Amino acid sequence: MHTITASLKGRHLLSIRDLTTNDIKSIFSLSSDMEKIVRDRRCIDFLHGKIMATIFFQPSTRTRLSFESAMFRLGGSVLTFGNPEETRAGAKWGETLADTARVINSYADLVVIRHPKVGSANSFAQYADVPVINGGDGEGPGSEHPTQALIDLYTISKVFGQINGITMLIVGGMQIRVGHSLLLAIARFFNMRILIYCPDSLWLSKDEEAELRMLGLNYHRVESMEEALLEADVIYHNGWKESSPEPIPDEYRITAAKLTRVPKHAIVMDALPRTDEIAADVDATPYACYFEQASNGVPIRMALLAHLLG
Ligand code: CP
């Protein structure tokens, strides 16, 4: 098995900014090894005796369950919050994140948190003695979902054998947290060409745009999805709004009919869940990659847990 990187041990993962190029290489490399365990539906005892707590203040299917599956595959144990309203941290009792962190410190060796407020994972981590992973915090400027961005880039690297040199069209709202982590990751670690089709009302904040420019991200906004589709190796739908499902205007929807002229090797990605941004008829095309993307959540999160706790 790939060597565990000592430099990641005990650290928090609150933002994609917390990682270095070497960290990403180590995580991707270990994920390939982890894939074999997942494929064989095996469990190993690498993290036997370790406990992960998942405390999610917002709904999740993929992030929570794939972290939990990852921990079980590595032989560890899981404590889960379930519905926050059935805990003291819910709206009725309103126990603070600081007190919740101080308490969970002695119950678990690592915490994964999702919260509707931007910065909550950082606030929690200030009072945590154990590694904290941001499983998605809020919506809008400053929000992030770093582990989803790792999954997305890992998926691209698996499909194309590389990430540098790829042209990626991002469609949809740019206030979505994974979009922030993804652009920051690309700007910091990779040389990709990014086309973005997003309405002004859902565009990035001035500060976010300035940071991406300062980091040298090669991106530009496009006026039409149809033309940009012809140039894209990766067509990534970023969804529309984080807080609630909303119907998406037709011109931002991807359908099988719109994919008839895209490059043969192109893939369509979406962190999911989808509302109607990707029509069901795309599922049967060779371009659909979003379920493979979701399945990469387990090996990537196994690699992260192994690095942070191993
Ligand atoms: N992609 C993602 O974060 O999905 P969930 O909201 O189901 O965790």
Side-chain angles (χ1 to χ4, degrees), residues 29 63 117 152 206 221:
S29 173
T63 308
K117 194 163 163 242
D152 300 346
K206 285 198 167 31
R221 293 178 72 181

Side-chain angles (χ1 to χ4, degrees), residues 131-153:
V132 176
I133 298 177
N134 181 0
D137 63 336
E139 174 172 14
S143 61
E144 279 213 47
H145 193 353
T147 64
Q148 182 65 52
L150 290 175
I151 293 164
D152 300 346
L153 291 165

Side-chain angles (χ1 to χ4, degrees), residues 56 59-64 114 135 145 148 177 271-273:
F56 277 49
S60 168
T61 297
R62 279 145 290 271
T63 308
R64 187 164 71 80
R114 169 171 288 188
H145 193 353
Q148 182 65 52
R177 51 199 175 203
L272 303 175

Side-chain angles (χ1 to χ4, degrees), residues 233-249:
D233 304 304
V234 176
I235 301 153
Y236 186 101
H237 211 300
N238 201 36
W240 201 245
K241 292 207 171 153
E242 194 80 69
S243 43
S244 60
E246 273 187 24
I248 293 175

